[in-house]
Amino acid sequence: MEWFDLTVVTGSLPEFWRGLWMTLHLTGIALIVGFAFAVPLSIARVSKNPWVSAPVRAYTYFFRGTPMLVQLLLVYYGIGQSEWMQRMWETGNPFWLLFRDAYFCALLAFSLNTCAYQLEMFAGAIRNTPNGEVEAAKAMGMTRSTALRRIILPSALRRALPPFSNEVILMLQGSAIASAVTLVDLTGAARNVYSRHYAPFEAFIFAGLLYLVVTFVLVGLFRVAENRWLAHLQPRRSASSAKKD
């Protein structure tokens, strides 16, 4: 094909692989960190005490109501270049070194963003816990904390699996903005290849194909997980349809 020079792709494969690894690494750690904070915060979100739930609600409104690119730039250029952060550098406080690192700033922004979305998913799943499960826990003499730990939370996390899979895929695609703070992720690698070879089709089509392959793999893995942990929620087939099969 005259419009697609395959040698541009084959000659830049090491750069694409490094960019793909950066994308997967950054996205994976952000999702894990976000999940670790989202679970306890989701419990606070459904609390009837407004002093507990209101700050969490304000946090989710901010991070779900503003673009992730703006959040990333605020962390990298706002906090990292602020006057009080500069004073930390002058006094020798090593905390300033973290916000000098583009990777840390991207990881922090991505983790805060995905945590806000995840905790709302988990909070909704907790609210929608079937009453029968709650009543059964009470009948067995479980306290509220014990029922939450053994019954409500495990059930909610299983039922939140489908929306969580969407968040993982959106997070993977949203991580493309990491190149805005000098990180060479998959999109950043494609941009470098384009600027070096003046070949936009080759660079960005191949990067898009890599994103597509990773997305298909994730969708397949989550489908397997849903079939295993959410099999009891699948509609039962009638005897007549089973005989036809």
Side-chain angles (χ1 to χ4, degrees), residues 118-240:
Q118 289 184 45
L119 80 87
E120 285 292 345
M121 296 174 195
F122 300 152
I126 291 173
R127 293 190 191 98
N128 294 327
T129 301
N131 291 330
E133 296 182 8
V134 179
E135 294 300 326
K138 291 180 179 179
M140 295 181 65
M142 293 186 185
T143 63
R144 171 65 179 175
S145 60
T146 303
L148 187 65
R149 186 176 69 254
R150 293 185 178 181
I151 305 296
I152 299 175
L153 198 55
S155 175
L157 292 178
R158 287 196 300 270
R159 286 182 283 104
L161 191 58
F164 179 74
S165 65
N166 292 334
E167 170 60 16
V168 171
I169 294 172
L170 290 174
M171 193 66 215
L172 171 70
Q173 298 171 355
S175 66
I177 65 173
S179 58
V181 291
T182 71
L183 284 178
V184 184
D185 64 338
L186 184 53
T187 302
R191 186 175 293 135
N192 291 343
V193 172
Y194 161 57
S195 62
R196 187 167 59 250
H197 297 280
Y198 300 100
F201 288 107
E202 292 83 347
F204 291 109
I205 287 178
F206 186 68
L209 288 175
L210 291 178
Y211 278 115
L212 194 62
V213 168
V214 175
T215 299
F216 278 145
V217 171
L218 290 174
V219 169
L221 292 175
F222 276 108
R223 184 168 297 175
V224 171
E226 290 176 18
N227 290 335
R228 177 176 180 181
W229 290 315
L230 298 179
H232 63 288
L233 298 180
Q234 300 295 332
R236 294 183 178 179
R237 296 194 303 173
S238 62
S240 59

Side-chain angles (χ1 to χ4, degrees), residues 14-79:
E15 188 169 2
F16 277 114
W17 299 143
R18 288 192 296 269
L20 178 61
W21 170 247
M22 173 62 74
T23 294
L24 296 176
H25 191 261
L26 186 61
T27 304
I29 294 181
L31 288 167
I32 293 172
V33 174
F35 179 84
F37 285 96
V39 172
L41 287 176
S42 65
I43 299 173
R45 180 71 175 86
V46 299
S47 173
K48 296 181 180 180
N49 186 343
W51 293 101
V52 176
S53 61
V56 180
R57 184 168 63 249
Y59 161 70
T60 59
Y61 281 175
F62 174 80
F63 281 95
R64 297 174 69 202
T66 57
M68 189 161 61
L69 177 59
V70 173
Q71 299 164 16
L72 175 61
L73 296 179
L74 281 175
V75 173
Y76 185 70
Y77 293 108
I79 299 177

Side-chain angles (χ1 to χ4, degrees), residues 1-16:
M1 294 180 290
E2 296 181 356
W3 59 273
F4 194 93
D5 186 359
L6 190 60
T7 59
V8 173
V9 174
T10 56
S12 306
L13 283 178
E15 188 169 2
F16 277 114

Side-chain angles (χ1 to χ4, degrees), residues 56-129:
V56 180
R57 184 168 63 249
Y59 161 70
T60 59
Y61 281 175
F62 174 80
F63 281 95
R64 297 174 69 202
T66 57
M68 189 161 61
L69 177 59
V70 173
Q71 299 164 16
L72 175 61
L73 296 179
L74 281 175
V75 173
Y76 185 70
Y77 293 108
I79 299 177
Q81 305 299 326
S82 62
E83 183 178 351
W84 64 272
M85 191 63 69
Q86 295 294 333
R87 285 199 297 268
M88 285 188 176
W89 173 70
E90 293 173 357
T91 58
N93 192 323
F95 184 70
W96 178 77
L97 297 175
L98 293 176
F99 287 90
R100 288 185 59 190
D101 184 20
Y103 180 85
F104 172 81
C105 292
L107 180 61
L108 178 62
F110 292 172
S111 299
L112 291 172
N113 182 274
T114 189
C115 178
Y117 282 93
Q118 289 184 45
L119 80 87
E120 285 292 345
M121 296 174 195
F122 300 152
I126 291 173
R127 293 190 191 98
N128 294 327
T129 301

